[in-house]
Amino acid sequence: MASEHEWQAARRRFIDREGGPTPAADDVDLGPLAEQFVTLGQELNIASESGVIGVLERVVQRAHALVPGADMVSVTLRENDGGFHTPVETDPLATRADHIQYETGEGPCVEATATSGSGFTLSRDLARDPRYPAFGPRVVELGVTALCATGMFPGGDPPRLGALNYHFRDAAGLDDVDRDAMLILASYAAVALQSARNLEVEQLRSAQLAEALESRDVIGQAKGILMQRRNASAEEAFDVLRRASQDLNVKLRDVATTIASRHSEL
């Protein structure tokens, strides 16, 4: 991970270059900031294929590298019913700290997810922060004295998808925090998270469709066998299947599968 000196040097090069001649394609110095996020974008694109958890695990790894002063990093996700949970963290203690926020309804993670603004929330002194009278003292007992969070998406209308949470045992770790880089990371994380969720939904739909088509085929086979053996109509054959399913308390598809696979014994 690039040092703070390298980050600042890259920024100065960008400012000095702005307004000047456009450099040749092979002469562009991305700098540590751009290189980190180009790499992150590639990683998240690959991780999205492994699902939501794969994306979030990659995100917390990058977040921890981005804020080396943080002792722990976690992800808060907002549930459809308005609740919260922590699916991924770098230390189980972070999950315990997050759950205190969810129980009390207080804390930077909840605030970054549920309130308007940039999506960046910070507390340097949780023990005395008047915003969190219930959460602060309890989390300090766990050894977490400071915390900051970035909402996903930053700047978007709340409630957001969730938040990236950075836990500090010593508030001095906040001194080198790069707020802009953290907000960019939260944006990347939100896009990748939504992409992974959509992919999982589509995969579920495809699986359900395949199962439905397979069920229809096997039920059709069973109906054909019954129509032939009993000289019955399609409606009568289906009624036989339905009544057998109810009487045996077995799924209609399973009854049809048994008939189709053992028709020679019937």
Side-chain angles (χ1 to χ4, degrees):
M1 191 69 187
S3 67
E4 179 64 19
H5 175 75
E6 290 172 320
W7 290 91
Q8 296 302 332
R11 285 181 170 180
R12 285 194 296 271
R13 287 196 300 272
F14 176 81
I15 294 171
D16 292 341
R17 182 179 295 152
E18 194 163 22
T22 302
D26 59 356
D27 190 39
V28 175
D29 178 11
L30 291 177
L33 178 59
E35 286 178 356
Q36 288 291 332
F37 282 103
V38 167
T39 301
L40 175 62
Q42 295 169 340
E43 291 177 350
L44 292 181
N45 183 53
I46 296 172
S48 65
E49 299 178 3
S50 64
V52 170
I53 297 301
V55 166
L56 296 180
E57 286 176 343
R58 194 62 60 91
V59 166
V60 295
Q61 292 168 8
R62 281 290 172 175
H64 209 182
L66 181 67
V67 186
D71 295 285
M72 301 170 289
V73 179
S74 64
V75 175
T76 290
L77 287 187
R78 182 177 57 84
E79 300 168 349
N80 292 333
D81 62 3
F84 302 97
H85 74 284
T86 299
V88 173
E89 74 324 72
T90 59
D91 188 309
L93 184 63
T95 297
R96 292 173 59 190
D98 289 347
H99 283 176
I100 297 175
Q101 295 192 72
Y102 310 153
E103 292 171 11
T104 61
E106 298 177 0
C109 312
V110 173
E111 189 172 329
T113 303
T115 61
S116 299
S118 69
F120 182 86
T121 306
L122 180 148
S123 177
R124 290 183 173 274
D125 188 356
L126 290 168
R128 299 176 180 81
D129 196 321
R131 295 173 296 174
Y132 315 129
F135 163 69
R138 288 181 59 185
V139 78
V140 169
E141 292 178 0
L142 298 180
V144 178
T145 65
L147 201 157
C148 66
T150 51
M152 302 181 296
F153 287 98
D157 292 333
R160 300 181 173 93
L161 294 175
L164 289 177
N165 315 312
Y166 303 81
H167 304 74
F168 300 82
R169 291 189 174 91
D170 186 343
L174 287 164
D175 293 343
D176 294 328
V177 161
D178 189 322
R179 177 178 177 274
D180 292 340
M182 292 167 72
L183 290 171
I184 293 172
L185 175 59
S187 294
Y188 269 71
V191 171
L193 172 61
Q194 194 61 54
S195 175
R197 280 180 167 176
N198 291 341
L199 182 59
E200 286 188 349
V201 169
E202 188 57 37
Q203 289 172 337
L204 177 60
R205 262 195 213 123
S206 297
Q208 291 172 335
L209 177 60
E211 184 178 356
L213 291 174
E214 185 179 346
S215 296
R216 186 187 67 179
D217 289 345
V218 75
I219 290 171
Q221 292 176 32
K223 282 171 57 180
I225 293 169
L226 291 173
M227 289 168 67
Q228 181 184 29
R229 298 290 174 85
R230 299 195 174 198
N231 194 26
S233 67
E235 184 176 345
E236 290 170 337
F238 183 78
D239 190 54
V240 170
L241 291 172
R242 182 183 56 78
R243 282 189 283 107
S245 173
Q246 293 175 344
D247 293 343
L248 298 173
N249 194 26
V250 175
K251 290 181 179 180
L252 181 63
R253 174 187 170 178
D254 293 339
V255 173
T257 299
T258 300
I259 293 174
S261 61
R262 303 179 63 180
H263 63 90
S264 61
E265 303 174 20
L266 300 177

